[in-house]
Amino acid sequence: AQTVTQSQPEMSVQEAETVTLSCTYDTSESDYYLFWYKQPPSRQMILVIRQEAYKQQNATENRFSVNFQKAAKSFSLKISDSQLGDAAMYFCAYRSAYGGATNKLIFGTGTLLAVQP
Amino acid sequence: AAGVIQSPRHLIKEKRETATLKCYPIPRHDTVYWYQQGPGQDPQFLISFYEKMQSDKGSIPDRFSAQQFSDYHSELNMSSLELGDSALYFCASSLGLAAETQYFGPGTRLLVL
């Protein structure tokens, strides 16, 4: 079974600085998707960024980028120029790319990010 | 753009009562997923439907049942509610089982007293 591990329960960053959130996963599959979701105090689940395992190029979305290391099964999120609105719980998630019946998202335990003004 | 709609947004029930949560997927989306997020926890997959058929099942209690209707909306029925059922229930939708991304609704907050 696949697992997702986020070893940093809490992180803090100064406004305008850069922070990296860590995520590791375990799977025997060769094709899959990885995601970072943001959950602000409203508790809405907001997709931040996604990565396809077969794509070697790291995904970027404006101030958000990932460092995807497939061999190491690592998928970290870098937030540049941090803003107060970035403060939230961040979940790393895995999904099989084989379609069929098993397409559920498997989440890590989350990292609570605080942004200091 | 239209998003996933969930109703009600908040629900308070007594122990042993029944609750029904509804999910209206993004138009044309034929796949619906249900997740449960307890206090301070990550979301856990409950069940999913594709084209009105159950496609996958997770850690859903036998007291819960769900279905997807012909218009693709889905309902999660919860009976004999327990205190531990208090949680945020998310519905997500996608276009097809192989779709890369699941789009989440705002969630239904269920409180069981």
Side-chain angles (χ1 to χ4, degrees):
Chain A
Q2 295 82 20
T3 58
V4 178
T5 301
Q6 293 179 250
S7 58
Q8 305 157 316
E10 297 181 16
M11 292 282 286
S12 182
V13 63
Q14 292 291 129
E15 200 174 2
E17 296 294 305
T18 295
V19 65
T20 298
L21 308 184
S22 301
C23 173
T24 59
Y25 58 95
D26 189 30
T27 184
S28 58
E29 297 177 331
S30 58
D31 200 12
Y32 45 86
Y33 298 106
L34 295 165
F35 305 85
W36 280 98
Y37 280 90
K38 170 185 177 181
Q39 188 174 43
S42 67
R43 301 197 74 187
Q44 171 79 45
M45 292 294 284
I46 301 166
L47 177 65
V48 174
I49 199 166
R50 59 176 167 250
Q51 174 81 42
E52 297 176 72
Y54 68 86
K55 287 187 177 179
Q56 294 188 345
Q57 186 174 5
N58 288 324
T60 62
E61 288 287 344
N62 300 313
R63 298 182 296 107
F64 299 87
S65 62
V66 298
N67 183 4
F68 173 49
Q69 301 290 327
K70 191 172 184 180
K73 296 181 181 175
S74 171
F75 182 62
S76 61
L77 174 69
K78 185 171 81 171
I79 306 174
S80 304
D81 186 24
S82 297
Q83 301 175 0
L84 294 178
D86 295 334
M89 180 70 85
Y90 286 81
F91 289 101
C92 179
Y94 171 102
R95 207 215 86 183
S96 172
Y98 289 102
T102 306
N103 51 6
K104 63 189 177 190
L105 286 168
I106 300 169
F107 290 89
T109 50
T111 296
L112 183 61
L113 178 66
V115 181
Q116 307 300 329
Chain B
V4 177
I5 297 171
Q6 291 188 245
S7 68
R9 294 293 307 278
H10 302 272
L11 193 57
I12 299 175
K13 291 287 185 179
E14 299 281 339
K15 275 176 29 178
R16 292 179 289 277
E17 285 190 325
T18 296
T20 297
L21 279 53
K22 297 184 179 182
C23 169
Y24 298 87
I26 291 171
R28 297 193 308 114
H29 281 194
D30 51 12
T31 308
V32 168
Y33 313 81
W34 287 96
Y35 294 87
Q36 177 193 56
Q37 186 179 24
Q41 297 181 358
D42 54 288
Q44 296 290 317
F45 172 73
L46 291 178
I47 195 167
S48 63
F49 293 88
Y50 168 66
E51 283 290 345
K52 294 155 281 184
M53 299 287 288
Q54 180 182 305
S55 58
D56 196 6
K57 191 172 182 180
S59 50
I60 183 170
D62 292 340
R63 300 178 288 106
F64 294 7
S65 65
Q67 58 182 323
Q68 185 180 33
F69 295 86
S70 57
D71 63 350
Y72 297 121
H73 94 272
S74 178
E75 295 183 4
L76 177 65
N77 298 292
M78 311 160 70
S79 62
S80 302
L81 286 169
E82 302 173 356
L83 297 179
D85 296 329
S86 295
L88 182 59
Y89 290 84
F90 285 109
C91 171
S93 75
S94 68
L95 182 59
L97 278 174
E100 183 177 313
T101 302
Q102 298 176 19
Y103 296 89
F104 281 78
T108 293
R109 297 191 192 211
L110 172 66
L111 178 61
V112 181
L113 300 175

